[in-house]
Amino acid sequence: RAPTLSEAQAFVATMVDPDYSPCREMALLACSISTNSAEMAGIPWRRVNLTDQPMIVEGQNLPPYSIAIWSNCNRGSFGPTKTKSRYRILPLDSTLVAVLNALKASTESNGPDDLVFGTGKTPISYDVSLRKLKKAGKQAGIEVSWHDLRRFFANISDQIGMPEADRQYMMGHSSAAMTRHYTTTPAIERIRPYIEQITRALLAVGVTKTVTS
């Protein structure tokens, strides 16, 4: 299931220990821009634009403050993205830019072809990253996986009102139906006020008043 916002906050807060790096940075990206572990393992620094100027990368325009998801690294095996819709460029906010700049400064292997989440051209082990993720989750009192963090993005982005088409793009889904499949509890909460209006109409009491909690 998707962590709630309070659970995600507690989970991220447990990862401040340097031993969690770069899994903390990966978790922040997964929660904020919906990247999965295989996508993150395959990102070289040249596909990360941490500047306020556009860049030409591999013949394509990479806008300011953005990250290109153009490949996968599944358990050490590099290849194309899972689907065509997963081939995308995602925006970075000022906090993620600062986090990635700090990560880049803290590692010696930060050349254009070096991997953001790995050592040189060797990606971080999926088993290692998952073990650290679950350890942090246990400390925060929740069960969590990399996939759960994408579900968190689906829910929180829906709650704050991000348009469905944008959520679909961010998650790399080929259909809106798949994005809705990832979005769990907010859907029923979004519908609940309408049900109350119907019930109130039947009882002819405060018809226009809705639940705001």
Side-chain angles (χ1 to χ4, degrees):
R1 69 170 183 84
T4 64
L5 177 58
S6 60
E7 287 174 337
Q9 289 171 330
F11 163 71
V12 170
T14 66
M15 302 184 82
V16 293
D17 190 301
D19 182 58
Y20 280 112
S21 186
C23 291
R24 180 175 188 269
E25 292 81 355
M26 293 174 70
L28 287 172
L29 286 185
C31 288
S32 297
I33 62 174
S34 192
T35 44
N36 69 19
S37 59
E39 290 171 342
M40 290 185 284
I43 303 172
W45 280 111
R46 69 175 180 275
R47 294 178 182 168
V48 183
N49 188 354
L50 301 176
T51 76
D52 62 358
Q53 298 296 317
M55 298 167 49
I56 301 298
V57 178
E58 299 169 42
Q60 297 191 51
N61 181 63
L62 189 59
Y65 307 125
S66 64
I67 188 167
I69 308 301
W70 292 343
S71 62
N72 249 13
C73 182
N74 190 7
R75 295 183 180 273
S77 178
F78 286 88
T81 56
K82 186 176 179 180
T83 62
K84 288 183 179 180
S85 57
R86 289 289 185 93
Y87 188 94
R88 63 207 192 281
I89 296 175
L90 303 175
L92 300 171
D93 77 323
S94 57
T95 299
L96 293 179
V97 168
V99 165
L100 290 174
N101 266 320
L103 178 64
K104 190 173 186 179
S106 69
T107 179
E108 296 180 358
S109 54
N110 57 17
D113 294 327
D114 291 322
L115 297 173
V116 176
F117 302 111
T119 303
K121 296 176 179 60
T122 302
I124 186 170
S125 164
Y126 173 79
D127 292 333
V128 168
S129 70
L130 184 61
R131 184 166 62 248
K132 289 189 176 184
L133 196 74
K134 288 187 174 297
K135 179 181 178 181
K138 185 176 181 180
Q139 288 180 313
I142 62 172
E143 288 286 337
V144 65
S145 69
W146 287 114
H147 201 62
D148 293 335
L149 301 189
R150 271 174 56 82
R151 289 188 176 276
F152 168 79
F153 172 86
N155 281 351
I156 194 68
S157 60
D158 182 55
Q159 289 174 348
I160 65 176
M162 183 183 289
E164 186 177 79
D166 293 334
R167 291 190 292 119
Q168 179 184 338
Y169 172 80
M170 291 293 296
M171 299 193 74
H173 290 152
S174 58
S175 71
M178 179 59 73
T179 303
R180 288 192 292 271
H181 172 73
Y182 269 67
T183 308
T184 53
T185 52
I188 196 167
E189 296 305 327
R190 189 169 55 247
I191 296 169
R192 196 184 307 279
Y194 298 104
I195 304 308
E196 182 175 354
Q197 288 192 56
I198 294 170
T199 306
R200 286 181 177 275
L202 288 170
L203 299 175
V205 178
V207 174
T208 59
K209 185 178 179 180
T210 61
V211 174
T212 58
S213 61

